[in-house]
Short mmCIF file of all heavy atoms in Angstrom, two decimals:
data_model
loop_
_atom_site.label_atom_id
_atom_site.label_comp_id
_atom_site.label_asym_id
_atom_site.label_seq_id
_atom_site.Cartn_x
_atom_site.Cartn_y
_atom_site.Cartn_z
N MET A 44 -1.02 -4.13 -9.40
CA MET A 44 -1.86 -3.90 -8.24
C MET A 44 -1.08 -3.68 -6.93
O MET A 44 -1.56 -4.02 -5.85
CB MET A 44 -2.90 -5.01 -8.08
CG MET A 44 -3.92 -4.98 -9.22
SD MET A 44 -5.08 -6.33 -9.22
CE MET A 44 -6.05 -5.97 -7.78
N ARG A 47 -3.94 0.07 -6.10
CA ARG A 47 -5.17 -0.38 -6.75
C ARG A 47 -6.35 0.39 -6.15
O ARG A 47 -6.20 1.11 -5.17
CB ARG A 47 -5.36 -1.89 -6.68
CG ARG A 47 -4.92 -2.61 -5.46
CD ARG A 47 -5.67 -2.25 -4.21
NE ARG A 47 -7.11 -2.45 -4.37
CZ ARG A 47 -8.03 -1.89 -3.63
NH1 ARG A 47 -7.69 -1.04 -2.65
NH2 ARG A 47 -9.32 -2.12 -3.82
N GLY A 48 -7.55 0.19 -6.75
CA GLY A 48 -8.72 0.96 -6.35
C GLY A 48 -8.86 2.13 -7.30
O GLY A 48 -7.85 2.81 -7.61
N ALA A 49 -10.08 2.36 -7.80
CA ALA A 49 -10.29 3.32 -8.89
C ALA A 49 -9.69 4.72 -8.63
O ALA A 49 -8.86 5.20 -9.41
CB ALA A 49 -11.77 3.40 -9.23
N PRO A 50 -10.08 5.39 -7.53
CA PRO A 50 -9.52 6.73 -7.34
C PRO A 50 -8.01 6.72 -7.11
O PRO A 50 -7.29 7.61 -7.57
CB PRO A 50 -10.27 7.25 -6.10
CG PRO A 50 -11.52 6.43 -6.03
CD PRO A 50 -11.13 5.07 -6.53
N ARG A 90 -4.54 -0.44 -16.70
CA ARG A 90 -5.78 -1.15 -16.32
C ARG A 90 -6.94 -0.49 -17.06
O ARG A 90 -7.08 0.73 -17.05
CB ARG A 90 -5.98 -1.10 -14.79
CG ARG A 90 -4.84 -1.80 -14.04
CD ARG A 90 -5.19 -2.08 -12.61
NE ARG A 90 -6.21 -3.10 -12.48
CZ ARG A 90 -6.84 -3.37 -11.33
NH1 ARG A 90 -6.58 -2.66 -10.25
NH2 ARG A 90 -7.74 -4.33 -11.29
N HIS A 159 -17.88 -4.89 0.13
CA HIS A 159 -17.16 -5.82 -0.74
C HIS A 159 -15.88 -5.15 -1.23
O HIS A 159 -15.85 -3.94 -1.42
CB HIS A 159 -18.07 -6.16 -1.93
CG HIS A 159 -17.52 -7.20 -2.85
ND1 HIS A 159 -17.16 -8.46 -2.42
CD2 HIS A 159 -17.29 -7.19 -4.20
CE1 HIS A 159 -16.74 -9.17 -3.46
NE2 HIS A 159 -16.79 -8.42 -4.54
N CYS A 160 -14.85 -5.93 -1.44
CA CYS A 160 -13.56 -5.43 -1.92
C CYS A 160 -12.98 -4.45 -0.90
O CYS A 160 -13.29 -4.54 0.30
CB CYS A 160 -13.71 -4.80 -3.30
SG CYS A 160 -12.14 -4.52 -4.15
N ASN A 161 -12.17 -3.52 -1.35
CA ASN A 161 -11.65 -2.48 -0.45
C ASN A 161 -11.92 -1.13 -1.07
O ASN A 161 -11.51 -0.86 -2.21
CB ASN A 161 -10.15 -2.64 -0.19
CG ASN A 161 -9.60 -1.44 0.56
OD1 ASN A 161 -9.05 -0.52 -0.04
ND2 ASN A 161 -9.78 -1.40 1.86
N THR A 162 -12.60 -0.28 -0.31
CA THR A 162 -12.97 1.05 -0.80
C THR A 162 -12.47 2.12 0.18
O THR A 162 -13.03 3.20 0.26
CB THR A 162 -14.51 1.17 -0.92
OG1 THR A 162 -15.05 1.00 0.40
CG2 THR A 162 -15.10 0.12 -1.84
N ALA A 166 -7.71 2.49 -1.36
CA ALA A 166 -8.29 2.46 -2.71
C ALA A 166 -8.45 3.87 -3.29
O ALA A 166 -8.93 4.03 -4.41
CB ALA A 166 -9.65 1.77 -2.68
N THR A 167 -8.07 4.87 -2.51
CA THR A 167 -8.33 6.27 -2.89
C THR A 167 -7.09 7.11 -2.55
O THR A 167 -6.06 6.56 -2.16
CB THR A 167 -9.54 6.80 -2.09
OG1 THR A 167 -9.22 6.74 -0.68
CG2 THR A 167 -10.81 6.00 -2.34
N THR A 172 -14.32 5.68 -0.10
CA THR A 172 -15.66 5.95 -0.64
C THR A 172 -16.70 5.25 0.24
O THR A 172 -17.21 5.85 1.18
CB THR A 172 -15.74 5.50 -2.10
OG1 THR A 172 -15.43 4.10 -2.19
CG2 THR A 172 -14.79 6.28 -2.98
N GLN A 199 -9.03 -8.46 -1.52
CA GLN A 199 -8.94 -7.08 -1.03
C GLN A 199 -9.75 -6.88 0.25
O GLN A 199 -9.41 -6.03 1.08
CB GLN A 199 -9.45 -6.10 -2.10
CG GLN A 199 -8.57 -5.97 -3.32
CD GLN A 199 -9.01 -6.90 -4.43
OE1 GLN A 199 -9.54 -7.98 -4.17
NE2 GLN A 199 -8.79 -6.51 -5.67
N GLY A 238 -18.19 0.22 -3.53
CA GLY A 238 -17.70 1.27 -4.43
C GLY A 238 -18.01 0.98 -5.88
O GLY A 238 -18.82 0.11 -6.21
N ALA A 239 -17.37 1.74 -6.77
CA ALA A 239 -17.56 1.55 -8.21
C ALA A 239 -16.28 1.93 -8.93
O ALA A 239 -15.52 2.78 -8.47
CB ALA A 239 -18.71 2.42 -8.71
N ASP A 240 -16.06 1.27 -10.05
CA ASP A 240 -14.89 1.60 -10.90
C ASP A 240 -15.29 2.44 -12.10
O ASP A 240 -14.46 3.15 -12.67
CB ASP A 240 -14.21 0.32 -11.36
CG ASP A 240 -13.40 -0.26 -10.21
OD1 ASP A 240 -14.00 -0.91 -9.34
OD2 ASP A 240 -12.19 -0.01 -10.17
N ASN A 250 -17.85 -2.83 -10.99
CA ASN A 250 -17.13 -2.86 -9.71
C ASN A 250 -16.52 -4.25 -9.55
O ASN A 250 -16.74 -5.14 -10.38
CB ASN A 250 -18.06 -2.51 -8.55
CG ASN A 250 -17.29 -2.26 -7.26
OD1 ASN A 250 -16.31 -1.51 -7.25
ND2 ASN A 250 -17.68 -2.89 -6.17
N LYS A 251 -15.79 -4.43 -8.49
CA LYS A 251 -15.07 -5.69 -8.24
C LYS A 251 -15.95 -6.91 -8.46
O LYS A 251 -17.11 -6.92 -8.04
CB LYS A 251 -14.53 -5.66 -6.80
CG LYS A 251 -13.74 -6.85 -6.34
CD LYS A 251 -12.64 -7.28 -7.29
CE LYS A 251 -11.69 -6.19 -7.66
NZ LYS A 251 -10.84 -6.55 -8.85
N ALA A 319 -11.91 -9.30 -13.70
CA ALA A 319 -11.63 -8.60 -12.43
C ALA A 319 -12.84 -7.79 -11.94
O ALA A 319 -12.88 -7.39 -10.78
CB ALA A 319 -10.43 -7.68 -12.61
N PHE A 320 -13.79 -7.56 -12.84
CA PHE A 320 -14.96 -6.73 -12.48
C PHE A 320 -16.22 -7.36 -13.05
O PHE A 320 -16.15 -8.18 -13.97
CB PHE A 320 -14.79 -5.31 -13.05
CG PHE A 320 -13.55 -4.63 -12.56
CD1 PHE A 320 -12.38 -4.66 -13.31
CD2 PHE A 320 -13.52 -4.00 -11.33
CE1 PHE A 320 -11.20 -4.08 -12.84
CE2 PHE A 320 -12.35 -3.41 -10.85
CZ PHE A 320 -11.19 -3.45 -11.60
O1 LIG B 401 -9.00 -4.51 -8.75
P1 LIG B 401 -9.09 -3.41 -7.74
O2 LIG B 401 -8.62 -3.79 -6.38
O3 LIG B 401 -8.43 -2.15 -8.25
O4 LIG B 401 -10.63 -3.12 -7.65
C1 LIG B 401 -11.11 -2.16 -6.76
C2 LIG B 401 -12.58 -2.09 -6.70
O5 LIG B 401 -13.28 -2.75 -7.43
C3 LIG B 401 -13.18 -1.09 -5.78
O6 LIG B 401 -14.39 -1.53 -5.28
C4 LIG B 401 -13.42 0.22 -6.56
O7 LIG B 401 -12.23 0.64 -7.17
C5 LIG B 401 -13.97 1.29 -5.76
S1 LIG B 401 -12.76 1.82 -4.60
C6 LIG B 401 -13.02 3.29 -3.99
#
Side-chain angles (χ1 to χ4, degrees):
M44 293 174 69
R47 36 65 56 200
R90 298 195 70 191
H159 186 56
C160 195
N161 171 264
T162 62
T167 61
T172 58
Q199 291 94 329
D240 284 80
N250 192 48
K251 181 50 53 195
F320 302 95

